[in-house]
Amino acid sequence: MTPPRILLLAGSLRTGSFNRRLAEAAERCIAAAGGDVEHITLRDYPLPIYDADLEEEEGVPETGRRLHARFAEAQGVFIASPEYNAGTPPILKNAIDWVSRVRDQGGQDAAFVRPVFAIASASPGGLGGYRGLMALRQSLTLQLGATVIPQMVSVSRAHEAFEEDGSLKDERSAGFLRTLSARLVKLASAIEPWRD
Ligand SMILES: Cc1cc2nc3c(=O)[nH]c(=O)nc-3n(C[C@H](O)[C@H](O)[C@H](O)COP(=O)(O)O)c2cc1C
């Protein structure tokens, strides 16, 4: 069986980002579960803040269309994102908003309805970014029609949560991440035969 293609990204550009570390830990789990991972950074997809006038005049920027293609090619998408003021950080929300405006290339469905999504967060705070995941889940499911795996991983006190090698110190959290990653790979494989 061909391994499912899993796109992986973090909702932070910060050097030393805890969410990128979490994404890297997930990358190892997804690969171990048999997924073919493509780890991208939103740094490579710079986009202006969404502006309807700009879209009217120039259409969706080429970077937004390229990002749409990455989503559309994937059978699974793993997003690790911080919460900003209990919501989705602008870098990630803006990318999702632009991708949702691509009308050809399979449109919104290709990018959001077809892949299976798994979401996770890390924060130095006590809630681990959990509330931001609820906001992200709401956008993906209620508006964009995505299938988002119910289980989520939130890593609190992220500044002290990782080993030197990037693995999670807490075995329970590490286990949750392995389970979520394996579930993503399994569902992404299962979904392929009935994708449009
Ligand atoms: C504008 C802003 C808002 C934030 N709001 C929250 C918040 O609501 N909850 C939280 O746990 N951390 C919040 N933080 C702290 C982030 O969780 C922290 O900066 C984290 O390290 C960002 O993720 P990263 O390490 O992947 O870049 C906020 C940070 C910024 C810059």
Side-chain angles (χ1 to χ4, degrees), residues 130-151:
Y130 182 86
R131 297 168 305 172
L133 290 188
M134 296 310 290
L136 179 59
R137 175 180 291 282
Q138 177 160 307
S139 297
L140 291 172
T141 55
L142 292 189
Q143 183 58 29
L144 297 169
T147 300
V148 182
I149 294 176
Q151 292 78 13

Side-chain angles (χ1 to χ4, degrees), residues 12 14 16-20 82-86 122-125 129 131:
S12 170
R14 191 174 73 83
S17 159
F18 300 127
N19 286 278
R20 194 165 63 228
E83 68 175 19
Y84 279 4
N85 298 316
S123 164
R131 297 168 305 172

Side-chain angles (χ1 to χ4, degrees), residues 10 29 40-41 47 52 59 67 74-75 81 137 140 154 158 161 163 182 188 196:
C29 295
I40 63 165
T41 166
L47 285 158
L67 188 57
Q75 276 116 43
S81 178
R137 175 180 291 282
L140 291 172
S154 290
E163 300 283 6
D196 299 331

Side-chain angles (χ1 to χ4, degrees), residues 64-69 72 102-108 110-111 114:
R65 300 176 66 80
R66 275 200 292 120
L67 188 57
H68 176 282
V102 175
R103 298 192 185 284
D104 51 5
Q105 301 180 190
Q108 216 169 270
R114 290 187 204 160

Side-chain angles (χ1 to χ4, degrees), residues 7-43:
L7 183 74
L8 190 120
L9 63 144
S12 170
L13 303 180
R14 191 174 73 83
T15 307
S17 159
F18 300 127
N19 286 278
R20 194 165 63 228
R21 268 196 239 174
L22 184 58
E24 284 163 3
E27 181 175 357
R28 292 189 286 275
C29 295
I30 291 166
D36 177 10
V37 191
E38 186 190 8
H39 192 161
I40 63 165
T41 166
L42 292 177
R43 179 82 68 197

